[in-house]
Amino acid sequence: MNRRYIPYLIGAVVVLIVLANTFFVVNQREQAVVVRLGDPVRVINAGPETAAGLKMKVPFLEQVLTFDKRNLALETEEEEIIAADQERLVVDAFIRYRIDDPLQYYRTLRDDRTARDRIQRLVNSSLRQVLGSATSNDIISGARSGVMQRTLADVKARADSSRLGIAVIDVRIRRADLPEANQAAVYRRMETSRQQEAAQVRAVGEQQKREIIANADKEVTITLATAQEQADQIRGEGDAQRTRIYAQSFGRDPGFASFYRSMQAYEASIGQGDATMVLSPDSQFFRYFERGPGAR
């Protein structure tokens, strides 16, 4: 190669290096902070007034830091908290947020690694405070949504007061369990509590059963007594009516009355076929065996 071209090649390389350090591209999913000697000077793609695309900076003096513009998620490490009922719980959560003020984000946190550590400590601190005022049943059961709403409001307030440059979207508990050392004791306590509740329910059911049976027996007794009273009344009326009919009949024909009473006597004494009687053959008791109803 001819030596006279070497200065041109060096110049071209220098130009390329300068151009590479002058122009940069910011895509739609990113927002950038241009830093000059450590101080932020402008923001790109943070709003409609600063669009993404090909941009320029002062070479070698300015540096470009890019941050994700999309919603971000961060899973916190397990944290042991003490609930309001003094129950220990191991809780891990996740937070969804986005960088809505990249300039403030850079000034406060500098980089994503520091930001994630700071946000995680902020969430854990909020969980300890909010969950510490709730019972373990509220945290584990269906009341968790209300606890999460209070946690979200607290994390938002902490992030705003700390001027982190982020917008907190959501905070959720992924898992809330008892520490392994406490699980067996808590399970035994829960089992004992459920057994006591079951015994109480059975006792109430047994009492209700006895009351139902007693009421039913009372109703049966009253119904039978009422029916017996009505039957006796009807039977008495029937007997009275029969007596009147017999009296009327006997008054019309005394012979028939004597015959009817003898037939009743025969039925009562020998109607079953196993009676033994010692009487004279000419006794008045057997007079209808020889003579008709009209005989005297």
Side-chain angles (χ1 to χ4, degrees), residues 1-16:
M1 178 181 296
N2 195 328
R3 291 185 178 181
R4 64 179 179 176
Y5 294 115
I6 293 177
Y8 296 106
L9 291 175
I10 294 174
V13 172
V14 171
V15 170
L16 289 176

Side-chain angles (χ1 to χ4, degrees), residues 31-275:
Q31 46 194 345
V33 176
V34 179
V35 180
R36 180 180 299 168
L37 300 178
D39 294 327
V41 293
R42 66 183 185 278
V43 179
I44 300 172
N45 201 27
E49 68 280 358
T50 56
L54 182 64
K55 302 296 178 181
M56 295 179 59
K57 66 181 180 65
V58 178
F60 308 112
L61 293 180
E62 294 183 344
Q63 180 184 4
V64 179
L65 301 176
T66 59
F67 303 104
D68 204 322
K69 196 176 182 181
R70 297 169 296 180
N71 292 343
L72 304 174
L74 172 64
E75 296 180 1
T76 65
E77 296 180 356
E78 290 184 353
E79 182 78 9
E80 184 172 307
I81 61 100
I82 300 177
D85 54 1
Q86 303 304 308
E87 203 67 71
R88 291 183 178 271
L89 293 174
V90 176
V91 177
D92 63 352
F94 73 90
I95 178 175
R96 293 176 63 239
Y97 67 96
R98 70 174 178 273
I99 303 171
D100 66 341
D101 188 347
L103 188 60
Q104 185 63 40
Y105 182 85
Y106 171 77
R107 287 172 176 169
T108 306
L109 303 172
R110 291 292 176 179
D111 55 42
D112 289 337
R113 181 177 179 181
T114 304
R116 294 173 73 87
D117 181 69
R118 180 79 173 273
I119 293 171
Q120 179 169 279
R121 286 189 285 111
L122 184 146
V123 172
N124 287 340
S125 176
S126 179
L127 286 174
R128 283 194 300 270
Q129 178 173 335
V130 176
L131 300 187
S133 63
T135 65
S136 56
N137 285 336
D138 291 338
I139 298 171
I140 297 174
S141 68
R144 181 187 293 188
S145 60
V147 176
M148 284 293 89
Q149 290 296 325
R150 296 198 300 272
T151 304
L152 176 59
D154 187 74
V155 172
K156 285 183 176 181
R158 289 171 182 263
D160 292 341
S161 63
S162 300
R163 297 181 59 83
L164 300 181
I166 65 172
V168 179
I169 300 172
D170 196 10
V171 178
R172 294 288 176 179
I173 291 178
R174 293 198 311 163
R175 185 173 64 93
D177 291 332
L178 298 168
E180 294 184 2
N182 297 352
Q183 287 182 2
V186 172
Y187 289 155
R188 284 195 298 270
R189 187 164 67 248
M190 292 174 62
E191 183 180 10
T192 301
S193 176
R194 295 300 180 270
Q195 289 175 350
Q196 292 175 349
E197 291 179 4
Q200 183 178 2
V201 171
R202 283 195 294 268
V204 172
E206 186 66 26
Q207 177 65 25
Q208 291 177 347
K209 183 187 76 172
R210 288 195 293 267
E211 292 177 358
I212 292 172
I213 292 175
N215 290 333
D217 292 341
K218 179 180 177 180
E219 293 293 332
V220 169
T221 302
I222 294 174
T223 301
L224 291 177
T226 303
Q228 184 65 37
E229 180 182 0
Q230 293 176 351
D232 291 342
Q233 182 179 357
I234 294 172
R235 189 179 296 110
E237 293 175 354
D239 290 342
Q241 186 174 3
R242 181 188 64 178
T243 301
R244 286 196 305 271
I245 294 173
Y246 285 163
Q248 293 174 359
S249 300
F250 294 162
R252 294 177 181 176
D253 189 351
F256 174 75
S258 176
F259 174 76
Y260 180 76
R261 284 195 296 270
S262 296
M263 292 300 103
Q264 287 182 323
Y266 292 157
E267 182 180 7
S269 59
I270 63 177
Q272 302 299 324
D274 56 353

